[in-house]
Amino acid sequence: MHSGTSKLGRAKNFLAAHLSQNVLAYVSKKPETNFPRLLNLVKLLAIQERHKRQVETVAAAYRENAAIREYVNRLARNLHPNVRNRLAYNWFMNAMIFGIPRQRSMSAKLGVNVPNFILVDPTTACNLACEGCWAGKYSPKNSLSPERLDRLFSEAKELGIYWIVFSGGEPLVYPHLFDLMAKHHDMAFMAYTNGTLINEKMADRIIEVGNFSPAISLEGWRERTDARRGPGTFDKVIRAMDLLRERGAAFGVSITITRENVMEVTSDEFIDFLIDKGVIYGWTFHYIPIGRNPNVNLMITPEQRAYLAERIPYIRTHKPIQIADFWNDGELVEGCIAGGRRYFHINAAGEVEPCAFVHFAVDNINEKSLLEVLHSPLFAAYQKRQPFHDNLLRPCPIIDVPQALRDIVKESGAHPTHEGADSVLEGIIAAHLDERSREWGRVADQLWAERQLFKKVQGF
């Protein structure tokens, strides 16, 4: 074990000194020729066979798909050197190539699952008050101390976790954010942000720190975005995107998909607009009735969800942008990723929740170490049930298998982390989730059967 760790450390140090400074710059000069060469190098260095196969898949996609090729070339040419050498290196090499094997080694050694990343809210303070905000019922006065966050990031790296995602609240109002990211320069950071605070000075600082990517929230075009987030928000977001694109930042978009905007945000016109603005990735989240003024009528219908299950993969293979569908991509990640399996959530009060949308906790990070909270009975109850359904188009214990969440909370003794959080377990909202899960189940089972038949015919 010691010898393997030593070799891993030497390889990592070599790459840190040479790959980030030389090879990534080399790729940016002529990506059509040099990106495949980089993939060959990564394949040689990959420790696990599954990573070698993943590299082969990426290489084939780059070779055979024009949209993927355009996407990679755009990244290679447009990213500022600081971003390319810090964010890209940290995420691709530290978090993935080196981090995941380290996580698995530590999992075996410590007898607890080590996730790939952590979602953490530095603060619940926010300069907006968006309708239906998933975090809208947390106390607005909570914040984690910079000392605890600093220690959390150090604890994470010891376990092989080099990817941290911020949420809130509005993470960009947290005064210590950039100092912490600069200190932990070997980590990759992302933040879900409303984007309204990104002015020239902050855009410059994002480039300076290099290892940070904002994912900016939009609801669609101006009318729909401003209706939920306040007048003038859309224009501020677009200005922020322009500032980031001009400087060579790596930034994305975060979209809450509702019954009302599903066609708007997945239209060719809107996707092409995002690409033109410089967006390189997107996270889409189906609306969940939690937080501020939960409204079950905003949930997408089973028919709309089936549409998204086909439309989002189409966009990924036909447009130079990568967009994730947080629930419908369950097949890609083998079911629910929450509960410490691939990630978990720490809110600004320090309470350790299994998911951004499951507001129940047993432990508090202010009272325990990262390793101690990974041993949480709440996480254990989650992980022994994952995947929650054999049909990976039904991955979620909130909207797809709601009885599982009731059982988990009861078994672990978890408490709600704010008033109203338990409405997903009982009452009118819970009854609606039960009915919706049955409706989606009928549609999803047909979709799943069709996909499995297609794979069989194709010989997968």
Side-chain angles (χ1 to χ4, degrees):
M1 176 67 73
H2 178 75
S3 176
T5 302
S6 177
K7 289 179 181 178
L8 180 64
R10 287 198 298 270
K12 184 174 177 180
N13 289 337
F14 172 83
L15 283 168
H18 297 280
L19 181 61
S20 64
Q21 296 175 13
N22 298 323
V23 178
L24 294 179
Y26 169 71
V27 169
S28 69
K29 294 177 181 177
K30 196 175 181 182
E32 297 86 351
T33 302
N34 297 337
F35 182 67
R37 292 176 179 172
L38 172 61
L39 291 179
N40 286 336
L41 174 61
V42 172
K43 183 180 175 181
L44 288 172
L45 292 168
I47 297 171
Q48 295 187 351
E49 284 300 318
R50 63 189 293 265
H51 289 147
K52 294 181 185 293
R53 292 193 297 270
Q54 289 170 352
V55 173
E56 291 172 356
T57 300
V58 172
Y62 183 82
R63 188 170 57 247
E64 300 166 8
N65 187 301
I68 298 296
R69 196 158 54 249
E70 181 184 351
Y71 176 73
V72 172
N73 294 349
R74 184 161 69 100
L75 287 180
R77 291 193 177 103
N78 296 344
L79 293 183
H80 188 281
N82 281 359
V83 177
R84 185 178 64 230
N85 295 338
R86 297 173 190 171
L87 180 68
Y89 176 84
N90 289 347
W91 187 84
F92 189 56
M93 299 305 296
N94 284 349
M96 298 298 157
I97 299 300
F98 293 117
I100 292 176
R102 171 72 173 171
Q103 292 158 18
R104 295 189 175 187
S105 172
M106 296 302 288
S107 294
K109 177 181 178 181
L110 300 171
V112 64
N113 190 70
V114 177
N116 303 135
F117 70 99
I118 302 171
L119 175 67
V120 58
D121 304 344
T123 180
T124 50
C126 186
N127 61 319
L128 299 182
C130 303
E131 181 61 29
C133 174
W134 65 271
K137 291 302 289 289
Y138 290 127
S139 169
K141 300 179 181 179
N142 291 333
S143 285
L144 291 168
S145 72
E147 294 79 15
R148 185 62 191 98
L149 287 174
D150 181 24
R151 192 165 75 254
L152 174 67
F153 301 159
S154 295
E155 291 175 306
K157 286 185 285 187
E158 290 175 4
L159 298 176
I161 303 170
Y162 285 83
W163 184 18
I164 300 293
V165 180
F166 297 121
S167 187
E170 169 50 56
L172 294 183
V173 307
Y174 188 72
H176 313 286
L177 195 72
F178 283 90
D179 290 339
L180 284 165
M181 293 189 295
K183 181 175 182 178
H184 294 274
H185 54 84
D186 53 348
M187 303 186 82
F189 296 93
M190 193 196 88
Y192 294 112
T193 170
N194 61 47
T196 61
L197 300 178
I198 299 177
N199 54 21
E200 288 86 348
K201 182 178 179 180
M202 184 171 290
D204 288 341
R205 199 166 187 193
I206 288 171
I207 294 299
E208 180 185 359
V209 75
N211 60 344
F212 172 58
S213 176
I216 304 174
S217 297
L218 276 177
E219 314 302 322
W221 297 112
R222 178 181 289 103
E223 181 180 358
R224 202 172 298 279
T225 296
D226 287 0
R228 186 182 185 206
R229 297 183 172 273
T233 300
F234 181 84
D235 290 337
K236 291 178 182 178
V237 164
I238 299 312
R239 174 59 177 156
M241 289 182 173
D242 289 341
L243 293 171
L244 294 170
R245 185 191 68 246
E246 291 164 2
R247 287 160 172 77
F251 66 97
V253 67
S254 173
I255 300 172
T256 299
I257 298 186
T258 71
R259 189 177 306 185
E260 298 171 350
N261 73 350
V262 59
M263 300 306 292
E264 182 173 318
V265 298
T266 59
S267 67
D268 283 337
E269 294 79 9
F270 190 72
I271 298 300
D272 290 342
F273 170 78
L274 295 178
I275 294 168
D276 182 64
K277 285 296 171 185
V279 173
I280 63 173
Y281 64 88
W283 294 95
T284 62
F285 301 92
H286 307 176
Y287 173 80
I288 304 293
I290 59 169
R292 181 182 293 122
N293 302 327
N295 182 357
V296 295
N297 293 320
L298 288 177
M299 294 183 69
I300 59 174
T301 67
E303 293 73 23
Q304 289 174 328
R305 187 167 172 182
Y307 160 78
L308 289 171
E310 301 297 329
R311 176 61 179 167
I312 298 297
Y314 178 88
I315 292 171
R316 286 197 290 254
T317 54
H318 290 76
K319 302 282 187 181
I321 188 172
Q322 288 300 295
I323 297 180
D325 185 336
F326 198 76
W327 283 272
N328 283 344
D329 281 340
E331 186 175 7
L332 294 179
V333 293
E334 302 174 329
C336 171
I337 65 173
R341 176 177 167 252
R342 298 280 184 90
Y343 98 105
F344 65 95
H345 178 226
I346 302 173
N347 68 30
E351 293 179 296
V352 181
E353 301 171 337
C355 173
F357 305 98
V358 177
H359 297 175
F360 295 87
V362 171
D363 298 310
N364 192 299
I365 201 68
N366 291 317
E367 301 166 356
K368 295 185 176 182
S369 68
L370 173 58
L371 180 58
E372 287 174 322
V373 302
L374 290 180
H375 283 280
S376 165
L378 179 56
F379 290 177
Y382 245 80
Q383 291 168 24
K384 76 179 186 181
R385 292 173 168 85
Q386 289 167 319
F388 293 105
H389 202 284
D390 292 337
N391 181 344
L392 298 180
L393 292 172
R394 303 170 67 179
C396 179
I398 316 170
I399 60 175
D400 297 326
V401 194
Q403 185 57 45
L405 184 58
R406 297 184 184 105
D407 294 341
I408 288 169
V409 171
K410 182 178 180 180
E411 178 181 310
S412 65
H415 63 267
T417 53
H418 61 72
E419 182 182 357
D422 53 357
S423 64
V424 297
L425 302 182
E426 57 186 9
I428 296 175
I429 290 178
H432 186 90
L433 293 175
D434 285 333
E435 178 58 28
R436 179 52 54 84
S437 69
R438 288 189 288 268
E439 293 172 353
W440 169 242
R442 289 189 287 270
V443 176
D445 286 350
Q446 181 177 343
L447 274 176
W448 185 252
E450 292 171 356
R451 288 190 178 187
Q452 302 317 300
L453 178 60
F454 177 79
K455 288 182 178 181
K456 185 176 181 180
V457 170
Q458 294 295 317
F460 293 149

